[in-house]
Amino acid sequence: MKVLIFGLGFIATQVAEFLSSAHEVSVTYRNLNPVKKVYYDILSSKGVKLVKLDVLSDVDTVKEEIKNSDVIVNFIGEISGDEKSLRTANVEVPKTIAALIKDVGTKPLFIHTSGSTYGITGEVKIEKQLGEGLNPQSPFEKTKFEGEQEVYSIAKGNFPLVILRPTLVYGKYAVHVQFVMMYKMAKWGIIPKTGITFMPISATSIGKIINKLVEEKPELLYFYATECEPIKLERFFELYAKALGKRTVEIPLPKNLVKSALPKDIKGLVKYEGTKFDCSVAKQLVDPKFDENEIIQNALFLKELDEKKILIPT
């Protein structure tokens, strides 16, 4: 199968690396910062084709890449920024990709990676009709939700579509601000005991889910991509410290204090702490489990970037 992946973030990089052993994979990127150059080199060494383009301005190139692909996966998206940049990444980009797939007419499977936080906490079940009962609050949530509605509307009756809603994604190449923050604290041997739990999923599990979807090619599906068991936040700190060979000290911290210290872009997601997302579809597809080794590999990857002085949160 020919798989076209839009975006060169850490999830896309790990998924592309995973899929490259069984499929012909291409990955698009708009520009390269020092971390993305590392991703570029990793994928190049695996035989992945890298294509420089902008989805919204290089339409002819995008159409040509789509025409030559059996599966399209969109990982382009933003969690932070002003409303215009969020709308561009989370609405206009997936809408444009979907419209071009329809226009090309070859009917590849389109897998659109969306979000999982839509204003509902506690026990979150997948809705019977797309968007039914959801209540997005922040600009991030609203644009992710609108992006889903746009691609669903375009795809219906025209090509197969899967809307993937990952919970908190971790992986060996993760350089998002929250992972960098945990790595830096682990370097000091600090393990905050907070009682905070969340529902994660590894980037490798997302790769396995996508590989399964490539085989099954469902006509229309939307679901939460998540492991079934909540994980305590301190487990990440413990695994980072273990990988770095650090002695640790546990520091009990009230949840409110931890929440106040979190980066601005993450604070809006804290209300979903303790929320249990519906894992039934993910379990049926691949039954994802918490992978401690991915956290250990991530610590070593971050250490390598740190030593090269290119540990830049993305």
mmCIF file of all heavy atoms in Angstrom, residues 62-112:
data_model
loop_
_atom_site.group_PDB
_atom_site.id
_atom_site.type_symbol
_atom_site.label_atom_id
_atom_site.label_comp_id
_atom_site.label_asym_id
_atom_site.label_seq_id
_atom_site.Cartn_x
_atom_site.Cartn_y
_atom_site.Cartn_z
ATOM 1 N N VAL A 62 -0.219 18.615 -3.917
ATOM 2 C CA VAL A 62 -1.018 17.799 -2.991
ATOM 3 C C VAL A 62 -1.910 16.846 -3.769
ATOM 4 O O VAL A 62 -2.005 15.655 -3.455
ATOM 5 C CB VAL A 62 -1.861 18.696 -2.053
ATOM 6 C CG1 VAL A 62 -2.791 17.847 -1.192
ATOM 7 C CG2 VAL A 62 -0.970 19.553 -1.168
ATOM 8 N N LYS A 63 -2.568 17.347 -4.811
ATOM 9 C CA LYS A 63 -3.452 16.501 -5.625
ATOM 10 C C LYS A 63 -2.680 15.349 -6.259
ATOM 11 O O LYS A 63 -3.167 14.214 -6.307
ATOM 12 C CB LYS A 63 -4.125 17.340 -6.714
ATOM 13 C CG LYS A 63 -5.258 18.200 -6.218
ATOM 14 C CD LYS A 63 -5.918 18.976 -7.336
ATOM 15 C CE LYS A 63 -6.764 18.103 -8.218
ATOM 16 N NZ LYS A 63 -7.561 18.884 -9.192
ATOM 17 N N GLU A 64 -1.484 15.629 -6.732
ATOM 18 C CA GLU A 64 -0.679 14.595 -7.372
ATOM 19 C C GLU A 64 -0.284 13.520 -6.362
ATOM 20 O O GLU A 64 -0.315 12.323 -6.663
ATOM 21 C CB GLU A 64 0.567 15.219 -8.002
ATOM 22 C CG GLU A 64 1.298 14.319 -8.985
ATOM 23 C CD GLU A 64 0.448 13.911 -10.182
ATOM 24 O OE1 GLU A 64 -0.427 14.701 -10.610
ATOM 25 O OE2 GLU A 64 0.649 12.783 -10.678
ATOM 26 N N GLU A 65 0.091 13.942 -5.148
ATOM 27 C CA GLU A 65 0.457 12.982 -4.104
ATOM 28 C C GLU A 65 -0.753 12.136 -3.702
ATOM 29 O O GLU A 65 -0.640 10.927 -3.494
ATOM 30 C CB GLU A 65 1.029 13.712 -2.885
ATOM 31 C CG GLU A 65 2.380 14.389 -3.110
ATOM 32 C CD GLU A 65 3.491 13.405 -3.386
ATOM 33 O OE1 GLU A 65 3.418 12.244 -2.909
ATOM 34 O OE2 GLU A 65 4.451 13.780 -4.088
ATOM 35 N N ILE A 66 -1.908 12.770 -3.597
ATOM 36 C CA ILE A 66 -3.140 12.044 -3.247
ATOM 37 C C ILE A 66 -3.483 11.018 -4.323
ATOM 38 O O ILE A 66 -3.841 9.870 -4.031
ATOM 39 C CB ILE A 66 -4.305 13.037 -3.036
ATOM 40 C CG1 ILE A 66 -4.109 13.818 -1.730
ATOM 41 C CG2 ILE A 66 -5.654 12.304 -3.025
ATOM 42 C CD1 ILE A 66 -5.090 14.943 -1.531
ATOM 43 N N LYS A 67 -3.370 11.439 -5.571
ATOM 44 C CA LYS A 67 -3.706 10.574 -6.709
ATOM 45 C C LYS A 67 -2.880 9.290 -6.701
ATOM 46 O O LYS A 67 -3.356 8.236 -7.121
ATOM 47 C CB LYS A 67 -3.479 11.343 -8.013
ATOM 48 C CG LYS A 67 -4.054 10.677 -9.253
ATOM 49 C CD LYS A 67 -3.728 11.475 -10.513
ATOM 50 C CE LYS A 67 -4.313 12.856 -10.467
ATOM 51 N NZ LYS A 67 -4.047 13.622 -11.709
ATOM 52 N N ASN A 68 -1.657 9.372 -6.195
ATOM 53 C CA ASN A 68 -0.741 8.233 -6.198
ATOM 54 C C ASN A 68 -0.749 7.451 -4.882
ATOM 55 O O ASN A 68 0.165 6.655 -4.640
ATOM 56 C CB ASN A 68 0.680 8.707 -6.507
ATOM 57 C CG ASN A 68 0.809 9.276 -7.902
ATOM 58 O OD1 ASN A 68 0.184 8.779 -8.835
ATOM 59 N ND2 ASN A 68 1.579 10.332 -8.059
ATOM 60 N N SER A 69 -1.757 7.671 -4.012
ATOM 61 C CA SER A 69 -1.768 7.054 -2.687
ATOM 62 C C SER A 69 -3.034 6.234 -2.467
ATOM 63 O O SER A 69 -4.100 6.570 -2.983
ATOM 64 C CB SER A 69 -1.658 8.134 -1.599
ATOM 65 O OG SER A 69 -0.472 8.900 -1.765
ATOM 66 N N ASP A 70 -2.887 5.177 -1.672
ATOM 67 C CA ASP A 70 -4.030 4.337 -1.310
ATOM 68 C C ASP A 70 -4.641 4.762 0.022
ATOM 69 O O ASP A 70 -5.821 4.532 0.282
ATOM 70 C CB ASP A 70 -3.587 2.871 -1.174
ATOM 71 C CG ASP A 70 -2.950 2.349 -2.457
ATOM 72 O OD1 ASP A 70 -3.626 2.356 -3.491
ATOM 73 O OD2 ASP A 70 -1.763 1.959 -2.405
ATOM 74 N N VAL A 71 -3.805 5.348 0.874
ATOM 75 C CA VAL A 71 -4.234 5.771 2.214
ATOM 76 C C VAL A 71 -3.662 7.158 2.479
ATOM 77 O O VAL A 71 -2.478 7.411 2.235
ATOM 78 C CB VAL A 71 -3.739 4.792 3.299
ATOM 79 C CG1 VAL A 71 -4.209 5.242 4.680
ATOM 80 C CG2 VAL A 71 -4.213 3.371 3.010
ATOM 81 N N ILE A 72 -4.500 8.053 2.994
ATOM 82 C CA ILE A 72 -4.075 9.404 3.358
ATOM 83 C C ILE A 72 -4.264 9.553 4.862
ATOM 84 O O ILE A 72 -5.347 9.256 5.386
ATOM 85 C CB ILE A 72 -4.927 10.494 2.667
ATOM 86 C CG1 ILE A 72 -5.162 10.154 1.192
ATOM 87 C CG2 ILE A 72 -4.321 11.863 2.862
ATOM 88 C CD1 ILE A 72 -3.960 10.176 0.321
ATOM 89 N N VAL A 73 -3.225 10.008 5.562
ATOM 90 C CA VAL A 73 -3.318 10.219 7.010
ATOM 91 C C VAL A 73 -2.942 11.665 7.315
ATOM 92 O O VAL A 73 -1.852 12.124 6.943
ATOM 93 C CB VAL A 73 -2.379 9.281 7.797
ATOM 94 C CG1 VAL A 73 -2.620 9.433 9.300
ATOM 95 C CG2 VAL A 73 -2.580 7.827 7.373
ATOM 96 N N ASN A 74 -3.835 12.377 7.974
ATOM 97 C CA ASN A 74 -3.549 13.767 8.336
ATOM 98 C C ASN A 74 -3.172 13.887 9.799
ATOM 99 O O ASN A 74 -3.975 13.597 10.683
ATOM 100 C CB ASN A 74 -4.766 14.662 8.063
ATOM 101 C CG ASN A 74 -4.503 16.091 8.509
ATOM 102 O OD1 ASN A 74 -3.423 16.629 8.295
ATOM 103 N ND2 ASN A 74 -5.485 16.694 9.166
ATOM 104 N N PHE A 75 -1.933 14.322 10.052
ATOM 105 C CA PHE A 75 -1.478 14.598 11.411
ATOM 106 C C PHE A 75 -1.260 16.087 11.650
ATOM 107 O O PHE A 75 -0.772 16.471 12.706
ATOM 108 C CB PHE A 75 -0.170 13.851 11.703
ATOM 109 C CG PHE A 75 -0.337 12.396 12.038
ATOM 110 C CD1 PHE A 75 0.178 11.413 11.208
ATOM 111 C CD2 PHE A 75 -1.010 12.011 13.184
ATOM 112 C CE1 PHE A 75 0.030 10.073 11.516
ATOM 113 C CE2 PHE A 75 -1.171 10.674 13.500
ATOM 114 C CZ PHE A 75 -0.654 9.698 12.665
ATOM 115 N N ILE A 76 -1.596 16.928 10.671
ATOM 116 C CA ILE A 76 -1.407 18.368 10.844
ATOM 117 C C ILE A 76 -2.459 18.892 11.810
ATOM 118 O O ILE A 76 -3.650 18.621 11.663
ATOM 119 C CB ILE A 76 -1.501 19.107 9.494
ATOM 120 C CG1 ILE A 76 -0.348 18.669 8.577
ATOM 121 C CG2 ILE A 76 -1.477 20.621 9.702
ATOM 122 C CD1 ILE A 76 -0.436 19.225 7.170
ATOM 123 N N GLY A 77 -2.029 19.653 12.789
ATOM 124 C CA GLY A 77 -2.944 20.233 13.776
ATOM 125 C C GLY A 77 -2.170 21.070 14.769
ATOM 126 O O GLY A 77 -0.952 20.930 14.903
ATOM 127 N N GLU A 78 -2.864 21.953 15.439
ATOM 128 C CA GLU A 78 -2.245 22.807 16.454
ATOM 129 C C GLU A 78 -3.052 22.756 17.741
ATOM 130 O O GLU A 78 -4.282 22.682 17.709
ATOM 131 C CB GLU A 78 -2.165 24.261 15.977
ATOM 132 C CG GLU A 78 -1.225 24.500 14.796
ATOM 133 C CD GLU A 78 0.238 24.389 15.179
ATOM 134 O OE1 GLU A 78 0.536 24.345 16.386
ATOM 135 O OE2 GLU A 78 1.087 24.354 14.261
ATOM 136 N N ILE A 79 -2.335 22.815 18.869
ATOM 137 C CA ILE A 79 -2.996 22.859 20.172
ATOM 138 C C ILE A 79 -2.976 24.267 20.754
ATOM 139 O O ILE A 79 -3.773 24.610 21.616
ATOM 140 C CB ILE A 79 -2.331 21.861 21.153
ATOM 141 C CG1 ILE A 79 -3.195 21.681 22.402
ATOM 142 C CG2 ILE A 79 -0.924 22.295 21.527
ATOM 143 C CD1 ILE A 79 -2.712 20.593 23.328
ATOM 144 N N SER A 80 -2.037 25.104 20.253
ATOM 145 C CA SER A 80 -1.893 26.453 20.797
ATOM 146 C C SER A 80 -1.770 27.463 19.664
ATOM 147 O O SER A 80 -1.609 27.106 18.502
ATOM 148 C CB SER A 80 -0.649 26.527 21.692
ATOM 149 O OG SER A 80 0.515 26.247 20.940
ATOM 150 N N GLY A 81 -1.849 28.738 20.046
ATOM 151 C CA GLY A 81 -1.770 29.821 19.075
ATOM 152 C C GLY A 81 -3.051 30.621 19.062
ATOM 153 O O GLY A 81 -4.009 30.319 19.779
ATOM 154 N N ASP A 82 -3.090 31.670 18.219
ATOM 155 C CA ASP A 82 -4.302 32.475 18.133
ATOM 156 C C ASP A 82 -5.373 31.721 17.352
ATOM 157 O O ASP A 82 -5.111 30.681 16.737
ATOM 158 C CB ASP A 82 -4.004 33.843 17.506
ATOM 159 C CG ASP A 82 -3.409 33.737 16.101
ATOM 160 O OD1 ASP A 82 -3.799 32.818 15.350
ATOM 161 O OD2 ASP A 82 -2.548 34.558 15.764
ATOM 162 N N GLU A 83 -6.573 32.259 17.378
ATOM 163 C CA GLU A 83 -7.703 31.549 16.778
ATOM 164 C C GLU A 83 -7.514 31.355 15.278
ATOM 165 O O GLU A 83 -7.905 30.320 14.719
ATOM 166 C CB GLU A 83 -9.013 32.291 17.053
ATOM 167 C CG GLU A 83 -10.236 31.459 16.752
ATOM 168 C CD GLU A 83 -11.492 31.954 17.447
ATOM 169 O OE1 GLU A 83 -11.384 32.824 18.319
ATOM 170 O OE2 GLU A 83 -12.572 31.451 17.086
ATOM 171 N N LYS A 84 -6.867 32.317 14.614
ATOM 172 C CA LYS A 84 -6.647 32.197 13.172
ATOM 173 C C LYS A 84 -5.722 31.024 12.848
ATOM 174 O O LYS A 84 -6.008 30.238 11.944
ATOM 175 C CB LYS A 84 -6.041 33.497 12.635
ATOM 176 C CG LYS A 84 -5.822 33.462 11.136
ATOM 177 C CD LYS A 84 -5.228 34.769 10.622
ATOM 178 C CE LYS A 84 -4.982 34.692 9.113
ATOM 179 N NZ LYS A 84 -4.369 35.951 8.603
ATOM 180 N N SER A 85 -4.621 30.893 13.591
ATOM 181 C CA SER A 85 -3.689 29.793 13.327
ATOM 182 C C SER A 85 -4.305 28.442 13.679
ATOM 183 O O SER A 85 -4.083 27.441 12.998
ATOM 184 C CB SER A 85 -2.374 29.998 14.087
ATOM 185 O OG SER A 85 -2.583 29.978 15.484
ATOM 186 N N LEU A 86 -5.118 28.414 14.746
ATOM 187 C CA LEU A 86 -5.811 27.175 15.109
ATOM 188 C C LEU A 86 -6.804 26.778 14.019
ATOM 189 O O LEU A 86 -6.903 25.612 13.646
ATOM 190 C CB LEU A 86 -6.538 27.347 16.443
ATOM 191 C CG LEU A 86 -5.666 27.386 17.701
ATOM 192 C CD1 LEU A 86 -6.484 27.832 18.899
ATOM 193 C CD2 LEU A 86 -5.045 26.022 17.973
ATOM 194 N N ARG A 87 -7.524 27.757 13.509
ATOM 195 C CA ARG A 87 -8.503 27.474 12.457
ATOM 196 C C ARG A 87 -7.815 26.986 11.180
ATOM 197 O O ARG A 87 -8.283 26.043 10.530
ATOM 198 C CB ARG A 87 -9.333 28.734 12.159
ATOM 199 C CG ARG A 87 -10.236 28.628 10.951
ATOM 200 C CD ARG A 87 -11.257 29.749 10.924
ATOM 201 N NE ARG A 87 -12.204 29.550 12.006
ATOM 202 C CZ ARG A 87 -13.246 28.733 11.929
ATOM 203 N NH1 ARG A 87 -13.472 28.045 10.835
ATOM 204 N NH2 ARG A 87 -14.065 28.599 12.937
ATOM 205 N N THR A 88 -6.696 27.604 10.843
ATOM 206 C CA THR A 88 -5.965 27.195 9.640
ATOM 207 C C THR A 88 -5.542 25.730 9.736
ATOM 208 O O THR A 88 -5.775 24.933 8.828
ATOM 209 C CB THR A 88 -4.721 28.087 9.434
ATOM 210 O OG1 THR A 88 -5.147 29.435 9.217
ATOM 211 C CG2 THR A 88 -3.902 27.617 8.243
ATOM 212 N N ALA A 89 -4.896 25.373 10.870
ATOM 213 C CA ALA A 89 -4.363 24.014 11.030
ATOM 214 C C ALA A 89 -5.451 22.976 11.261
ATOM 215 O O ALA A 89 -5.388 21.863 10.717
ATOM 216 C CB ALA A 89 -3.362 23.986 12.179
ATOM 217 N N ASN A 90 -6.444 23.322 12.084
ATOM 218 C CA ASN A 90 -7.418 22.327 12.534
ATOM 219 C C ASN A 90 -8.686 22.241 11.687
ATOM 220 O O ASN A 90 -9.425 21.253 11.779
ATOM 221 C CB ASN A 90 -7.806 22.605 13.986
ATOM 222 C CG ASN A 90 -6.625 22.522 14.934
ATOM 223 O OD1 ASN A 90 -5.607 21.910 14.619
ATOM 224 N ND2 ASN A 90 -6.744 23.135 16.095
ATOM 225 N N VAL A 91 -8.932 23.265 10.868
ATOM 226 C CA VAL A 91 -10.132 23.260 10.024
ATOM 227 C C VAL A 91 -9.766 23.320 8.544
ATOM 228 O O VAL A 91 -10.123 22.436 7.771
ATOM 229 C CB VAL A 91 -11.077 24.432 10.384
ATOM 230 C CG1 VAL A 91 -12.337 24.377 9.489
ATOM 231 C CG2 VAL A 91 -11.469 24.399 11.840
ATOM 232 N N GLU A 92 -9.051 24.387 8.155
ATOM 233 C CA GLU A 92 -8.803 24.613 6.729
ATOM 234 C C GLU A 92 -7.933 23.522 6.098
ATOM 235 O O GLU A 92 -8.178 23.109 4.958
ATOM 236 C CB GLU A 92 -8.184 25.999 6.516
ATOM 237 C CG GLU A 92 -9.091 27.157 6.909
ATOM 238 C CD GLU A 92 -10.449 27.100 6.220
ATOM 239 O OE1 GLU A 92 -10.514 26.718 5.035
ATOM 240 O OE2 GLU A 92 -11.466 27.438 6.867
ATOM 241 N N VAL A 93 -6.914 23.071 6.831
ATOM 242 C CA VAL A 93 -6.039 22.033 6.264
ATOM 243 C C VAL A 93 -6.789 20.721 6.036
ATOM 244 O O VAL A 93 -6.790 20.195 4.915
ATOM 245 C CB VAL A 93 -4.779 21.823 7.133
ATOM 246 C CG1 VAL A 93 -4.061 20.529 6.750
ATOM 247 C CG2 VAL A 93 -3.831 23.006 6.977
ATOM 248 N N PRO A 94 -7.448 20.133 7.065
ATOM 249 C CA PRO A 94 -8.172 18.876 6.796
ATOM 250 C C PRO A 94 -9.308 19.046 5.797
ATOM 251 O O PRO A 94 -9.563 18.137 4.985
ATOM 252 C CB PRO A 94 -8.693 18.457 8.174
ATOM 253 C CG PRO A 94 -8.634 19.685 9.020
ATOM 254 C CD PRO A 94 -7.504 20.502 8.494
ATOM 255 N N LYS A 95 -9.972 20.189 5.827
ATOM 256 C CA LYS A 95 -11.047 20.465 4.861
ATOM 257 C C LYS A 95 -10.493 20.461 3.437
ATOM 258 O O LYS A 95 -11.103 19.883 2.524
ATOM 259 C CB LYS A 95 -11.682 21.816 5.185
ATOM 260 C CG LYS A 95 -12.771 22.260 4.230
ATOM 261 C CD LYS A 95 -13.297 23.631 4.638
ATOM 262 C CE LYS A 95 -14.319 24.163 3.646
ATOM 263 N NZ LYS A 95 -14.785 25.517 4.043
ATOM 264 N N THR A 96 -9.333 21.089 3.242
ATOM 265 C CA THR A 96 -8.709 21.139 1.919
ATOM 266 C C THR A 96 -8.285 19.753 1.456
ATOM 267 O O THR A 96 -8.510 19.373 0.297
ATOM 268 C CB THR A 96 -7.493 22.087 1.942
ATOM 269 O OG1 THR A 96 -7.932 23.410 2.278
ATOM 270 C CG2 THR A 96 -6.792 22.118 0.594
ATOM 271 N N ILE A 97 -7.670 18.972 2.358
ATOM 272 C CA ILE A 97 -7.256 17.609 1.995
ATOM 273 C C ILE A 97 -8.466 16.776 1.578
ATOM 274 O O ILE A 97 -8.452 16.100 0.555
ATOM 275 C CB ILE A 97 -6.511 16.937 3.167
ATOM 276 C CG1 ILE A 97 -5.187 17.653 3.449
ATOM 277 C CG2 ILE A 97 -6.252 15.454 2.852
ATOM 278 C CD1 ILE A 97 -4.500 17.203 4.734
ATOM 279 N N ALA A 98 -9.540 16.857 2.378
ATOM 280 C CA ALA A 98 -10.751 16.087 2.064
ATOM 281 C C ALA A 98 -11.346 16.510 0.721
ATOM 282 O O ALA A 98 -11.761 15.669 -0.084
ATOM 283 C CB ALA A 98 -11.777 16.259 3.179
ATOM 284 N N ALA A 99 -11.381 17.814 0.469
ATOM 285 C CA ALA A 99 -11.934 18.312 -0.788
ATOM 286 C C ALA A 99 -11.100 17.843 -1.979
ATOM 287 O O ALA A 99 -11.650 17.500 -3.038
ATOM 288 C CB ALA A 99 -12.005 19.835 -0.766
ATOM 289 N N LEU A 100 -9.787 17.801 -1.819
ATOM 290 C CA LEU A 100 -8.914 17.347 -2.898
ATOM 291 C C LEU A 100 -9.047 15.843 -3.131
ATOM 292 O O LEU A 100 -8.980 15.373 -4.268
ATOM 293 C CB LEU A 100 -7.467 17.722 -2.592
ATOM 294 C CG LEU A 100 -7.166 19.226 -2.643
ATOM 295 C CD1 LEU A 100 -5.742 19.505 -2.180
ATOM 296 C CD2 LEU A 100 -7.390 19.787 -4.042
ATOM 297 N N ILE A 101 -9.242 15.082 -2.058
ATOM 298 C CA ILE A 101 -9.486 13.631 -2.210
ATOM 299 C C ILE A 101 -10.764 13.414 -3.011
ATOM 300 O O ILE A 101 -10.805 12.588 -3.936
ATOM 301 C CB ILE A 101 -9.585 12.940 -0.837
ATOM 302 C CG1 ILE A 101 -8.228 12.976 -0.108
ATOM 303 C CG2 ILE A 101 -10.062 11.492 -0.984
ATOM 304 C CD1 ILE A 101 -8.283 12.498 1.330
ATOM 305 N N LYS A 102 -11.808 14.142 -2.673
ATOM 306 C CA LYS A 102 -13.072 14.047 -3.411
ATOM 307 C C LYS A 102 -12.881 14.425 -4.870
ATOM 308 O O LYS A 102 -13.384 13.765 -5.781
ATOM 309 C CB LYS A 102 -14.120 14.950 -2.758
ATOM 310 C CG LYS A 102 -15.461 14.949 -3.473
ATOM 311 C CD LYS A 102 -16.436 15.911 -2.808
ATOM 312 C CE LYS A 102 -17.745 15.975 -3.590
ATOM 313 N NZ LYS A 102 -18.689 16.954 -2.992
ATOM 314 N N ASP A 103 -12.109 15.494 -5.107
ATOM 315 C CA ASP A 103 -11.889 15.996 -6.457
ATOM 316 C C ASP A 103 -11.096 15.000 -7.305
ATOM 317 O O ASP A 103 -11.402 14.785 -8.485
ATOM 318 C CB ASP A 103 -11.140 17.328 -6.381
ATOM 319 C CG ASP A 103 -11.037 18.013 -7.734
ATOM 320 O OD1 ASP A 103 -12.022 17.979 -8.488
ATOM 321 O OD2 ASP A 103 -9.966 18.574 -8.039
ATOM 322 N N VAL A 104 -10.087 14.355 -6.694
ATOM 323 C CA VAL A 104 -9.268 13.385 -7.414
ATOM 324 C C VAL A 104 -10.104 12.177 -7.822
ATOM 325 O O VAL A 104 -9.959 11.622 -8.904
ATOM 326 C CB VAL A 104 -8.046 12.964 -6.566
ATOM 327 C CG1 VAL A 104 -7.379 11.729 -7.143
ATOM 328 C CG2 VAL A 104 -7.053 14.113 -6.464
ATOM 329 N N GLY A 105 -10.985 11.736 -6.912
ATOM 330 C CA GLY A 105 -11.942 10.686 -7.249
ATOM 331 C C GLY A 105 -11.434 9.265 -7.181
ATOM 332 O O GLY A 105 -12.142 8.332 -7.576
ATOM 333 N N THR A 106 -10.228 9.046 -6.653
ATOM 334 C CA THR A 106 -9.694 7.679 -6.583
ATOM 335 C C THR A 106 -10.156 6.923 -5.342
ATOM 336 O O THR A 106 -9.904 5.732 -5.197
ATOM 337 C CB THR A 106 -8.157 7.719 -6.591
ATOM 338 O OG1 THR A 106 -7.689 8.574 -5.531
ATOM 339 C CG2 THR A 106 -7.630 8.230 -7.923
ATOM 340 N N LYS A 107 -10.800 7.617 -4.414
ATOM 341 C CA LYS A 107 -11.385 7.050 -3.201
ATOM 342 C C LYS A 107 -10.394 6.315 -2.286
ATOM 343 O O LYS A 107 -10.627 5.170 -1.869
ATOM 344 C CB LYS A 107 -12.552 6.118 -3.545
ATOM 345 C CG LYS A 107 -13.702 6.842 -4.218
ATOM 346 C CD LYS A 107 -14.937 5.977 -4.300
ATOM 347 C CE LYS A 107 -16.104 6.776 -4.875
ATOM 348 N NZ LYS A 107 -17.354 5.992 -4.905
ATOM 349 N N PRO A 108 -9.263 6.950 -1.945
ATOM 350 C CA PRO A 108 -8.381 6.353 -0.938
ATOM 351 C C PRO A 108 -9.028 6.455 0.437
ATOM 352 O O PRO A 108 -9.957 7.242 0.638
ATOM 353 C CB PRO A 108 -7.123 7.227 -1.006
ATOM 354 C CG PRO A 108 -7.646 8.571 -1.421
ATOM 355 C CD PRO A 108 -8.783 8.279 -2.368
ATOM 356 N N LEU A 109 -8.551 5.657 1.383
ATOM 357 C CA LEU A 109 -8.996 5.790 2.767
ATOM 358 C C LEU A 109 -8.371 7.050 3.358
ATOM 359 O O LEU A 109 -7.157 7.246 3.286
ATOM 360 C CB LEU A 109 -8.546 4.568 3.584
ATOM 361 C CG LEU A 109 -8.732 4.653 5.101
ATOM 362 C CD1 LEU A 109 -10.203 4.779 5.483
ATOM 363 C CD2 LEU A 109 -8.103 3.435 5.781
ATOM 364 N N PHE A 110 -9.186 7.916 3.938
ATOM 365 C CA PHE A 110 -8.698 9.127 4.601
ATOM 366 C C PHE A 110 -8.815 8.943 6.105
ATOM 367 O O PHE A 110 -9.908 8.742 6.634
ATOM 368 C CB PHE A 110 -9.499 10.350 4.147
ATOM 369 C CG PHE A 110 -9.023 11.652 4.751
ATOM 370 C CD1 PHE A 110 -7.696 11.852 5.102
ATOM 371 C CD2 PHE A 110 -9.920 12.698 4.965
ATOM 372 C CE1 PHE A 110 -7.260 13.050 5.653
ATOM 373 C CE2 PHE A 110 -9.504 13.911 5.506
ATOM 374 C CZ PHE A 110 -8.171 14.091 5.849
ATOM 375 N N ILE A 111 -7.685 8.987 6.800
ATOM 376 C CA ILE A 111 -7.659 8.917 8.264
ATOM 377 C C ILE A 111 -7.289 10.299 8.780
ATOM 378 O O ILE A 111 -6.162 10.779 8.585
ATOM 379 C CB ILE A 111 -6.645 7.865 8.753
ATOM 380 C CG1 ILE A 111 -7.001 6.485 8.201
ATOM 381 C CG2 ILE A 111 -6.611 7.835 10.287
ATOM 382 C CD1 ILE A 111 -5.969 5.414 8.499
ATOM 383 N N HIS A 112 -8.241 10.959 9.408
ATOM 384 C CA HIS A 112 -8.025 12.308 9.940
ATOM 385 C C HIS A 112 -7.821 12.233 11.445
ATOM 386 O O HIS A 112 -8.686 11.757 12.180
ATOM 387 C CB HIS A 112 -9.216 13.213 9.620
ATOM 388 C CG HIS A 112 -9.173 14.528 10.324
ATOM 389 N ND1 HIS A 112 -8.091 15.385 10.241
ATOM 390 C CD2 HIS A 112 -10.075 15.139 11.147
ATOM 391 C CE1 HIS A 112 -8.328 16.459 10.973
ATOM 392 N NE2 HIS A 112 -9.523 16.327 11.534
#
